[in-house]
Amino acid sequence: MVLQQVSTDLGSVQQAPQEAPQRLAAAVDQLNQLQPPPGVAPQWQRFVGAVTGMRDLVGKLDLSNPQANTGYADELEALRPGLIDGGSAIDDWGKANC
């Protein structure tokens, strides 16, 4: 399932931050190829928007110097609800319907 692969790829970003730009770009491409599941389309769009925002944010970061990125904490925090709430709604829908 593409969504499971995207989730795995996003989870691996923490272990290999230098690969984050490529993994997030691939995740956004994959998510944009899928149709939102019925019943969770708004949450799907919110999740995809948050992943897209994360991709864009990571593109601004200096991955070789984490201390240089502290100014982006608020932007990252603003993406958290879309990732968590949207992802949870999609996961709940999948458990109930797949």
Side-chain angles (χ1 to χ4, degrees), residues 18-43:
Q18 70 280 6
E19 296 177 15
Q22 296 85 7
R23 291 188 183 265
L24 288 166
V28 169
D29 289 345
Q30 290 175 321
L31 290 170
N32 283 322
Q33 293 177 19
L34 299 174
Q35 291 294 325
V40 291
Q43 295 90 340

Side-chain angles (χ1 to χ4, degrees), residues 6-74:
V6 167
S7 179
T8 300
D9 286 348
L10 292 177
S12 70
V13 165
Q14 292 180 345
Q15 288 77 36
Q18 70 280 6
E19 296 177 15
Q22 296 85 7
R23 291 188 183 265
L24 288 166
V28 169
D29 289 345
Q30 290 175 321
L31 290 170
N32 283 322
Q33 293 177 19
L34 299 174
Q35 291 294 325
V40 291
Q43 295 90 340
W44 177 268
Q45 294 304 324
R46 188 172 182 204
F47 178 75
V48 172
V51 175
T52 301
M54 183 171 272
R55 177 205 61 195
D56 296 345
L57 178 60
V58 166
K60 299 178 193 178
L61 302 178
D62 178 353
L63 299 176
S64 65
N65 182 6
Q67 289 75 26
N69 302 317
T70 58
Y72 294 106
D74 290 341

